Amino acid sequence: MEVVIAPADELARLAADAVERLVRTKPDAVLGLATGSSPLKVYDELARRHAEDGLSFAGARAFMLDEYVGLPAEHPERYRNVIEKEIASRVDFAPGAVQGPDGLAEDLPTACAAYERAIVDAGGVDLQILGIGTDGHIAFNEPGSSLASRTRIKTLTQQTREDNARFFDDDIDKVPHHCLTQGLATIMSARHLVLLATGKGKAEAVHQLAEGAVSALWPATIMQMHPHATVLVDDAAASRLQLAGYYRQTFASKPGWQGL
Ligand code: F6R
């Protein structure tokens, strides 16, 4: 696992560089998209590169990590709509190229199985962008999630619903209780994981992710088992890392030509 500690704008540029490098060498790449605040600067940077540098996603596809169950189709916080607003509508994905789990399906388990199949049929995800919850979740794999899980229904923790109330008029009662989420094994099947975390609120989760024992209590720790995982954190999110000095030294001495 590579841990990079840098200011948030620099982290966004590094993540965008990895996406750009992939899409330019493999125009039909499959991207994995996260929602939430962590990737927003990356999406801004990709939209800028699309507008100014001709970075094209016309041949690419993308799969979202998760979706709330039961939010009406037009709800602004439905993740399908958030992804459309934050990235899909700002670049040139082909119609239908961005997919997400169907939180409005009548038969949710069948929709989850179909989503897993769609990812496999697309050849798997090349680069998965991730955030991390303060409770250590990735996608919505809450503490206690099976490390071998696939896309399924999960119940959001009180902590996650409190954290996400800021997107729902600060009213926790408006935050759904259930979601569909890619499982930990689904995420681990992606070929490159790029996780972003900023702010002190993420410091304990980031410490556990990189340095804790692999455990369902901190689901993100499964990333320690991935052959190509990159963790991009700012100073505040890095503040509990025991090996912060070593991570900084490693990145500072990395050859410039070598991407993430
Ligand atoms: C969203 C997702 C979640 C978020 C996490 C952090 O698709 O999968 O795991 O990445 O809850 O959220 P933010 O970035 O808003 O702090």
Side-chain angles (χ1 to χ4, degrees):
M1 175 179 288
E2 178 178 30
V3 180
V4 179
I5 304 169
D9 288 343
E10 175 66 14
L11 301 177
R13 274 195 299 276
L14 287 168
D17 286 349
V19 173
E20 174 160 8
R21 185 186 277 228
L22 171 68
V23 173
R24 290 208 191 267
T25 53
K26 185 180 179 189
D28 60 348
V30 179
L31 299 171
L33 301 176
T35 329
S37 41
S38 302
L40 291 181
K41 282 176 185 279
V42 182
Y43 297 156
D44 287 347
E45 181 62 14
L46 291 174
R48 188 194 66 72
R49 292 183 192 193
H50 169 66
E52 295 174 17
D53 306 334
L55 178 62
S56 175
F57 296 82
R61 273 176 293 176
F63 288 91
M64 295 164 49
L65 279 175
D66 39 22
E67 181 60 274
Y68 291 117
V69 168
L71 281 188
E74 68 286 354
H75 196 291
E77 291 309 322
R78 186 177 170 233
Y79 277 177
R80 191 65 194 78
N81 297 334
V82 174
I83 283 292
E84 186 62 27
K85 174 166 163 262
E86 301 296 354
I87 181 70
S89 64
R90 301 166 75 195
V91 297
D92 60 345
F93 282 113
V98 180
Q99 298 183 53
D102 183 1
L104 289 171
E106 274 188 22
D107 180 346
L108 293 170
T110 300
C112 290
Y115 195 61
E116 280 285 325
R117 265 198 312 278
I119 296 172
V120 171
D121 290 349
V125 171
D126 290 299
L127 187 155
Q128 176 65 59
I129 295 171
L130 295 162
I132 186 169
T134 54
D135 63 3
H137 68 228
I138 49 173
F140 276 140
N141 294 283
E142 297 285 30
S145 289
S146 161
L147 301 181
S149 49
R150 293 280 169 184
T151 304
R152 69 212 182 291
I153 307 164
K154 283 296 284 184
T155 304
L156 298 173
T157 59
Q158 177 75 6
Q159 176 72 61
T160 297
R161 293 182 62 245
E162 279 170 16
D163 289 347
N164 286 7
R166 69 191 194 280
F167 298 116
F168 292 84
D169 309 321
D170 281 322
D171 182 354
I172 190 170
D173 292 334
K174 292 185 181 169
V175 184
H177 285 269
H178 298 102
C179 63
L180 302 186
T181 179
Q182 287 190 27
L184 293 169
T186 320
I187 294 168
M188 288 292 283
S189 302
R191 287 179 274 280
H192 184 192
L193 305 181
V194 178
L195 183 142
L196 295 114
T198 54
K200 210 164 180 48
K202 299 291 175 72
E204 176 64 15
V206 166
H207 162 59
Q208 294 291 340
L209 153 66
E211 300 169 338
V214 174
S215 159
L217 261 191
W218 291 94
T221 55
I222 190 68
M223 288 175 60
Q224 293 175 26
M225 312 287 284
H226 197 283
H228 192 185
T230 308
V231 175
L232 302 173
V233 289
D234 69 356
D235 282 331
S239 59
R240 296 221 49 222
L241 287 172
Q242 267 170 250
L243 303 179
Y246 176 62
Y247 305 138
R248 288 183 200 277
Q249 193 189 332
T250 304
F251 188 65
S253 59
K254 188 172 175 176
W257 50 263
Q258 202 181 350
L260 295 177

